């Protein structure tokens, strides 16, 4: 029993990497994920049997590993990915959450959804076609969403006779484009997802490639430094008051640390009230901690009984977030109904709910050239542009570049309750 507990604890304590896949239609994203799961032995026997049976029914000459991720019947029928498919697997070194996102232009919003929480993006390129419009589009979105690590997988190398020359051409093509983007860490890997070359095992077909396999790269990429451990931010999600016999006067503030480090004894300030206090305890599930940091979920207790409620922000007095109602942001539009200038929307920012009006549409971005289109104020489905909003009450925020949690918000249609825009604060 104790050994089981130890194994379970080891798994819970294991480092987690969230990554997203992106690329054009038929670049092999779903096949690649299927190959990763299969070669890392993360598939159950009954799953494998079902995939083999489905492959036979479709008339495939091989076991179609893409069927592991294309879960919707419409996806299987068309052989494409429509929705964002999340898959989970682990190796002895790390846990992984994969967001498999669609390749079609009309599903760009799904790519934004899948990439919004990712530490790394795997962008696939077909070795025959090279860098195309969708490659640029997905790379720009990854850069916009501050994904620090990109792995460019040149797939289907088997269809270009495993040519080193072709791989180097695509590498240079992408380097030329990515130099305009803000992506600090880019890896280039030639692969064949269909046959498993350089996915989990090194390929004998490409002895000229001296780099790591995709799985080795995923297991070893360092993402701890991607979090902001400087600016202490704690949006309060819930005030816990058990009022039980055991805890008659307990008042804790629960939520997820959005930045920095908090320790017992630290002086804090609560926003918007401006009241200060000192941290008494910081606790995770059934355990007091000496310090907590992003992205831990915690409950904090204070030495003073001050007024704090959901949507408030706890920070350090000498390092506070910006406070404001007029906010500039880049927005990716997710709805068929266009953004309405002077339109009113609900918004969610960290744990705070508010309302806003669109004050100005500054420009739209041509995703393929990265140029600003100053005269075009119409922002529709899958468009990205810069806008200014005015909120009904002050938000406590940082720029998205500095903190992906406190720098992001979503816009919501008040009548349909649909999320219509994903915003990155400038």
């Amino acid at each position: 029993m104790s050994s089981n507990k130890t194994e379970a604890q080891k798994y819970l304590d294991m480092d987690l990497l969230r990554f997203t896949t992106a690329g054009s239609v038929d670049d092999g994203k779903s096949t690649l994920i299927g190959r990763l799961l299969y070669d890392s032995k993360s598939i159950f026997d009954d799953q494998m049997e079902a995939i083999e049976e489905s492959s036979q029914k479709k008339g495939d000459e091989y076991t179609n590993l893409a069927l592991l991720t294309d879960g919707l019947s419409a996806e299987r029928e068309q052989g494409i990915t429509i929705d964002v498919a999340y898959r989970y697997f682990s190796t002895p070194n790390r846990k992984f959450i994969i967001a498999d996102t669609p390749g079609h232009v009309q599903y760009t919003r799904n790519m934004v959804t899948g990439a919004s929480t990712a530490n790394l993006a795997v962008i696939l390129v077909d070795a025959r076609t090279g860098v195309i419009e969708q490659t640029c589009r997905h790379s720009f979105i990854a850069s916009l969403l501050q994904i620090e690590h990109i792995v460019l997988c040149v797939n289907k190398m088997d269809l270009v006779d495993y040519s080193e020359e072709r791989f180097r051409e695509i590498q240079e093509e992408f380097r030329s484009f990515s130099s305009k983007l803000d992506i600090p860490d880019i890896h280039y890997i030639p692969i064949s997802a269909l046959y498993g070359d350089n996915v989990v095992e090194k390929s004998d077909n490409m002895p000229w490639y001296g780099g790591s396999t995709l799985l080795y790269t995923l297991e070893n990429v360092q993402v701890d430094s991607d979090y902001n451990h400087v600016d202490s931010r704690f949006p309060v999600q819930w005030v816990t008051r058990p009022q039980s016999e055991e805890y008659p006067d307990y008042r804790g503030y629960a939520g997820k640390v959005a930045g920095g480090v908090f320790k017992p004894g630290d002086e804090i300030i609560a926003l918007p009230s401006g009241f200060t206090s000192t941290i008494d305890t910081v606790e995770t599930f059934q355990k007091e901690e000496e310090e907590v940091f992003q992205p831990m979920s915690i409950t904090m207790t204070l030495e003073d009984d001050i007024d704090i409620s959901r949507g408030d922000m706890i920070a350090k007095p000498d390092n506070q977030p910006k406070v404001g109602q007029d906010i500039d942001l880049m927005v990716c539009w997710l709805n068929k109904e266009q953004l309405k200038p002077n339109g009113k929307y609900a918004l969610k920012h960290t744990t705070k709910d508010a309302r806003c009006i669109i004050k100005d549409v500054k420009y739209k971005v041509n995703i393929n050239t990265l140029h600003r289109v100053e005269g075009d104020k119409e922002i529709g489905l899958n468009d990205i542009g810069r806008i200014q909003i005015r909120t009904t009450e002050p938000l406590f925020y940082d720029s998205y570049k500095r903190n992906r949690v406190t720098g992001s918000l979503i816009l919501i249609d008040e009548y349909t309750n649909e999320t219509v825009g994903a915003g990155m604060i400038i």
Side-chain angles (χ1 to χ4, degrees), residues 43-57 63-64 67-68 76:
I43 303 171
F44 294 114
D45 289 342
D46 59 340
Q47 283 178 298
M48 201 60 216
E49 285 167 17
I51 296 305
E52 286 169 357
E53 193 179 319
S54 295
S55 299
Q56 285 170 7
K57 280 181 185 171
T63 301
N64 188 349
L67 297 175
L68 278 165
R76 295 193 176 205

Side-chain angles (χ1 to χ4, degrees), residues 64-134:
N64 188 349
L65 295 173
L67 297 175
L68 278 165
T69 55
D70 287 341
L72 300 175
S73 57
E75 293 177 324
R76 295 193 176 205
E77 284 162 15
Q78 298 175 57
I80 62 168
T81 302
I82 294 172
D83 201 0
V84 181
Y86 291 95
R87 291 293 176 268
Y88 309 84
F89 77 104
S90 63
T91 66
N93 300 322
R94 203 171 229 172
K95 294 181 293 194
F96 300 94
I97 299 177
I98 315 168
D100 180 24
T101 61
H104 286 73
V105 174
Q106 65 263 40
Y107 298 124
T108 300
R109 58 181 175 172
N110 302 64
M111 196 247 161
V112 172
T113 304
S116 61
T117 56
N119 308 107
L120 176 147
V122 175
I123 296 178
L124 270 81
V125 172
D126 188 320
R128 296 166 300 174
T129 55
V131 175
I132 59 171
E133 182 181 309
Q134 278 296 76

Side-chain angles (χ1 to χ4, degrees), residues 81-265:
T81 302
I82 294 172
D83 201 0
V84 181
Y86 291 95
R87 291 293 176 268
Y88 309 84
F89 77 104
S90 63
T91 66
N93 300 322
R94 203 171 229 172
K95 294 181 293 194
F96 300 94
I97 299 177
I98 315 168
D100 180 24
T101 61
H104 286 73
V105 174
Q106 65 263 40
Y107 298 124
T108 300
R109 58 181 175 172
N110 302 64
M111 196 247 161
V112 172
T113 304
S116 61
T117 56
N119 308 107
L120 176 147
V122 175
I123 296 178
L124 270 81
V125 172
D126 188 320
R128 296 166 300 174
T129 55
V131 175
I132 59 171
E133 182 181 309
Q134 278 296 76
T135 316
C136 300
R137 178 181 284 264
H138 291 147
S139 304
F140 172 65
I141 291 170
S143 167
L144 187 67
L145 291 170
Q146 293 294 308
I147 295 177
E148 305 263 318
H149 312 277
I150 296 280
V151 180
L152 189 85
C153 287
V154 181
N155 192 21
K156 305 190 181 183
M157 288 297 293
D158 52 298
L159 299 180
V160 293
D161 297 325
Y162 299 102
S163 162
E164 179 181 7
E165 187 184 349
R166 181 62 184 139
F167 173 69
R168 301 297 175 205
E169 278 174 16
I170 294 169
Q171 193 176 17
E172 280 311 307
E173 218 177 325
F174 189 77
R175 271 196 184 131
S176 171
F177 172 76
S178 64
S179 62
K180 307 171 198 167
L181 302 175
D182 182 20
I183 304 171
D185 182 32
I186 304 177
H187 304 257
Y188 300 88
I189 306 177
I191 65 167
S192 169
L194 188 62
Y195 297 111
D197 295 277
N198 288 333
V199 179
V200 172
E201 304 292 340
K202 286 280 280 184
S203 170
D204 293 333
N205 295 311
M206 291 177 273
W208 47 264
Y209 173 67
S212 305
T213 63
L214 174 60
L215 183 62
Y216 183 88
T217 304
L218 295 174
E219 282 184 323
N220 291 280
V221 68
Q222 295 300 313
V223 295
D224 292 344
S225 59
D226 298 351
Y227 292 115
N228 182 328
H229 294 310
V230 176
D231 306 315
S232 298
R233 307 284 185 260
F234 182 60
V236 176
Q237 185 173 348
W238 190 254
V239 180
T240 57
R241 298 209 56 205
Q243 294 180 313
S244 60
E245 286 184 26
E246 193 178 353
Y247 302 103
D249 301 315
Y250 184 94
R251 181 192 289 268
Y253 307 102
K256 192 171 185 176
V257 180
V261 178
F262 291 96
K263 302 190 292 287

